[in-house]
Amino acid sequence: MYNTFKPEQPMSLMDFVRAAKSCVRQITPQALLDKLNAREDLLLLDVREHGEFEMGHIKGAQLVPRGIIEAAADPAYPKHLPELAAARDRQIVVYCATGGRSAMTAAVLQMMGFKNVLNMEGGYTRWVDDGMPQVHEATY
């Protein structure tokens, strides 16, 4: 994957986001809320930073910042997250603030062998704008 880099054609953040979104499936906030209300078996990942998570998040979301997703998902890594590493066949929904980081996360998880990964369209910003329920609690 990294061997395709061409210094004469550097990519921007939005190039990475567009590329990721082109290969991942999306889910709307309403469709996610419906799945949560139906108590579907899914792993909900918030890939924002700690401070963002503490300002508000979706009930039941597990915080795994984008910067550590590969380590958290790799069972061979000593400090992996067991629930995520064991979820290769489980439905996973990923969100961030606006949908970019989570799209890149969903693409990476797919590359790592996760089979059922969805990216929430518009991220937590759209979730809030659509009037969906939020949790506001600090974690330590």
Side-chain angles (χ1 to χ4, degrees), residues 21 48 95-102 120-126:
K21 284 185 176 182
R48 298 175 300 158
Y95 73 92
C96 65
T98 61
R101 285 177 285 179
S102 55
M120 188 175 75
E121 293 176 356
Y124 190 70
T125 300
R126 181 169 168 197

Side-chain angles (χ1 to χ4, degrees), residues 29-111:
Q30 183 61 58
L32 173 57
L33 182 61
D34 293 344
K35 287 178 174 290
L36 294 171
N37 287 338
R39 300 186 189 278
E40 284 190 25
D41 179 34
L42 62 87
L43 178 58
L44 182 59
L45 297 181
D46 184 326
V47 296
R48 298 175 300 158
E49 297 298 318
H50 286 81
E52 293 173 289
F53 185 82
E54 289 180 359
M55 295 292 291
H57 58 273
I58 300 171
K59 184 178 182 180
Q62 187 142 9
L63 177 64
V64 183
R66 168 68 192 100
I68 65 164
I69 198 70
E70 294 87 350
D74 186 349
Y77 185 73
K79 295 184 179 181
H80 69 275
L81 182 63
E83 186 177 9
L84 174 56
R88 292 190 188 282
D89 295 316
R90 190 173 171 200
Q91 182 174 215
I92 300 173
V93 178
V94 185
Y95 73 92
C96 65
T98 61
R101 285 177 285 179
S102 55
M104 292 186 289
T105 299
V108 164
L109 289 174
Q110 287 177 169
M111 286 185 244

Side-chain angles (χ1 to χ4, degrees), residues 29 97-98 122-132 134:
T98 61
Y124 190 70
T125 300
R126 181 169 168 197
W127 179 270
V128 171
D129 289 347
D130 288 357
M132 304 297 174
Q134 307 163 48

